[in-house]
Amino acid sequence: LPFPWQRLLDFEEDPRGQGARGHRRSVSRGSYQLQAQMNRAVYDERPPGALVPTSVAEASRAMAGDTTLSENYAFAGMHHIFDQHVDSAVPRLQFANDDKHLLACCSLDGTLSIMTLSTTPPSVKVVLKGHAGPVTDFAWSLSNDIIVSTSKDGTLRIWNTEDGRCIREVRDPEASELLCCTFQPMNNNLTVVNLCSVLQVGNTKHLLQVVNISTGKKVKGGSSKLTGRVLSMSFDAPGRILWAGDDRGSIFSFLFDMATGKLTKAKRLVVSEGSPICSISARSWISREARDPSLLINACVNKLLLYRVVDNEGTLQLKRSFPIKHASQPLHSIFCPLMSFRQGACVVTGSEDACVYFFDVERNTKAIVNKLQGHGGPVLDVSFNCDESLLASADSTGMVIIWRREQK
């Protein structure tokens, strides 16, 4: 059961009697505020001792088993190492949706790899070639049949994941560097990319742009100008709020019109002036102690930051931070995918000391649950498969390590 937060509104028991099991209700007002209220409402309506608010959480708990966080995130060691991109950094990697064995990564060597971990040994399934510059980011479609990638060559490319064909190329008219992209979670036909063009006079123009990948055209009203280069983006689960982080230390929230694709700027938070926002991950709820929407942020402040989303415009409030070595590299982090209601909840991040760190977001002291060592350079990205049996990590030297969870 991957990405259960994408199905937050599918309750086993609809507290308002407005829908059968499996039916997605449309929430037209205050998505995050209402979402948090519904989380609490269902939680409060459960009998004493029933700590899990949704059937999604019950399934997640069953998948995780009755293990502690330390036990669940103990790893037996390296399962496999991929080195096809060695000598060029791998800035991003991600497991496919609802898939335990399909993994993709992009490289500054201008290519992307799709790897399968179900074979013995694991192997590279297909290499995506076509970009004329470093590949900066990519995203799987919900059905995993296509991948969208961005590059410093000024193009957005759409790939067939079965045979590696480039289906479409969308070129920026000004040959702007494209640094990140993400799918609209409720409509995978719409993709948000950032357009960053540096003018010869020294001024800069930094844009978010919604693109229809079926036509390759920009969506009218689906653009917004920011103060710096956009390095990271994340939607909330319903796809109504988009957060974008720039290289000047700011996080902007945008309201996304589901009908038109229009972006409306809502809020701005300066995390740390001049400190790039390298990674943003949104989560609807984390644990029984943290049932409100949250954002996980990597900024170059030698800390991993966890924010609470406090209203329906994406306003953020710092909940806590975790010390890591992060001063200059584009590091990324993730929420662990299983939302089991055992004690605590985990987040995982790369670090410039070449280690992978697991933090319990509910521990006030000694929050480190696990630490994985084996990389030869700063760990730039991490990704769990859907049942947390495998973790992948990538570093600045181009090495991708697959870690297997220890089976009890």
Side-chain angles (χ1 to χ4, degrees):
L1 183 65
F3 308 117
W5 55 93
Q6 291 183 345
R7 306 184 184 95
L8 182 67
L9 300 181
D10 297 344
F11 290 103
E12 180 181 17
E13 297 174 4
D14 187 339
R16 303 185 179 210
Q18 295 177 357
R21 183 177 181 181
H23 174 66
R24 185 182 301 281
R25 293 177 294 160
S26 175
V27 181
S28 59
R29 65 189 189 279
S31 60
Y32 251 126
Q33 194 172 45
L34 182 60
Q35 200 168 322
Q37 291 172 357
M38 289 193 295
N39 287 353
R40 296 191 193 97
V42 180
Y43 176 89
D44 293 338
E45 287 181 7
R46 295 274 174 161
L51 298 173
V52 182
T54 69
S55 57
V56 166
E58 291 168 356
S60 296
R61 182 172 61 177
M63 292 173 72
D66 296 323
T67 56
T68 66
L69 283 184
S70 297
E71 290 173 336
N72 195 66
Y73 296 114
F75 283 76
M78 298 181 189
H79 174 59
H80 191 76
I81 296 176
F82 289 97
D83 60 0
Q84 69 269 23
H85 298 294
V86 163
D87 298 329
S88 294
V90 173
R92 300 305 310 271
L93 81 169
Q94 184 183 356
F95 276 95
N97 300 313
D98 197 17
D99 196 297
K100 295 191 291 186
H101 300 114
L102 202 58
L103 174 71
C105 69
C106 64
S107 172
L108 298 188
D109 66 11
T111 67
L112 300 94
S113 296
I114 299 177
M115 297 153 281
T116 178
L117 310 182
S118 58
T119 59
T120 304
S123 60
V124 178
K125 177 183 176 183
V126 64
V127 177
L128 311 181
K129 297 180 179 180
H131 280 296
V135 183
T136 53
D137 197 10
F138 73 95
W140 290 92
S141 66
L142 192 60
S143 58
N144 299 323
D145 57 339
I146 65 172
I147 278 179
V148 169
S149 62
T150 53
S151 171
K152 290 187 177 181
D153 66 5
T155 66
L156 169 80
R157 285 179 177 262
I158 304 165
W159 308 87
N160 182 307
T161 58
E162 279 300 313
D163 56 19
R165 287 183 301 110
C166 180
I167 302 171
R168 185 184 297 277
E169 176 187 294
V170 181
R171 185 171 294 275
D172 180 62
E174 300 178 15
S176 307
E177 292 184 343
L178 306 185
L179 303 180
C180 55
C181 60
T182 187
F183 275 108
Q184 209 286 338
M186 295 296 106
N187 181 2
N188 272 195
N189 199 43
L190 296 178
T191 301
V192 182
V193 299
N194 76 294
L195 303 179
C196 165
S197 59
V198 181
L199 306 181
Q200 292 181 349
V201 294
N203 296 322
T204 58
K205 180 179 69 175
H206 309 284
L207 294 175
L208 285 180
Q209 179 67 57
V210 180
V211 176
N212 186 316
I213 63 171
S214 292
T215 63
K217 295 182 179 180
K218 300 174 183 178
V219 175
K220 185 177 180 180
S223 65
S224 184
K225 187 175 182 179
L226 275 69
T227 58
R229 296 191 305 159
V230 184
L231 304 180
S232 54
M233 294 185 291
S234 183
F235 272 102
D236 68 347
R240 293 182 174 88
I241 303 177
L242 172 70
W243 289 273
D246 67 21
D247 64 347
R248 298 188 180 182
S250 294
I251 300 175
F252 294 82
S253 65
F254 299 85
L255 304 182
F256 184 86
D257 190 300
M258 302 288 286
T260 65
K262 181 180 178 180
L263 287 176
T264 303
K265 190 178 295 185
K267 299 291 183 178
R268 178 189 179 190
L269 169 71
V270 179
V271 175
S272 178
E273 193 70 41
S275 299
I277 307 299
C278 307
S279 173
I280 301 177
S281 297
R283 185 65 171 263
S284 297
W285 53 275
I286 308 172
S287 73
R288 62 184 179 186
E289 290 85 9
R291 297 189 299 277
D292 290 326
S294 301
L295 242 60
L296 190 63
I297 305 294
N298 284 96
C300 296
V301 293
N302 289 310
K303 293 178 181 178
L304 176 66
L305 306 172
L306 181 67
Y307 285 88
R308 178 182 290 112
V309 182
V310 298
D311 62 22
N312 58 3
E313 292 190 335
T315 304
L316 303 176
Q317 179 184 75
L318 183 64
K319 179 177 180 180
R320 65 173 307 182
S321 62
F322 308 92
I324 60 171
K325 188 175 181 181
H326 186 192
S328 61
Q329 296 290 324
L331 306 186
H332 296 82
S333 58
I334 55 169
F335 289 99
C336 291
L338 295 187
M339 296 186 292
S340 59
F341 261 43
R342 56 198 166 201
Q343 292 289 341
C346 260
V347 294
V348 182
T349 184
S351 176
E352 290 178 359
D353 63 2
C355 296
V356 177
Y357 288 93
F358 297 68
F359 291 103
D360 183 348
V361 300
E362 299 301 332
R363 280 191 198 175
N364 293 322
T365 60
K366 298 181 178 180
I368 296 178
V369 174
N370 197 0
K371 175 182 175 181
L372 303 181
Q373 303 177 71
H375 282 281
V379 180
L380 303 182
D381 201 6
V382 288
S383 180
F384 263 115
N385 67 353
C386 59
D387 67 354
E388 296 183 354
S389 61
L390 296 172
L391 174 73
S393 54
D395 66 29
S396 61
T397 72
M399 182 181 295
V400 174
I401 298 180
I402 311 300
W403 311 83
R404 182 177 292 279
R405 192 179 66 182
E406 185 176 357
Q407 300 297 317
K408 295 293 183 180

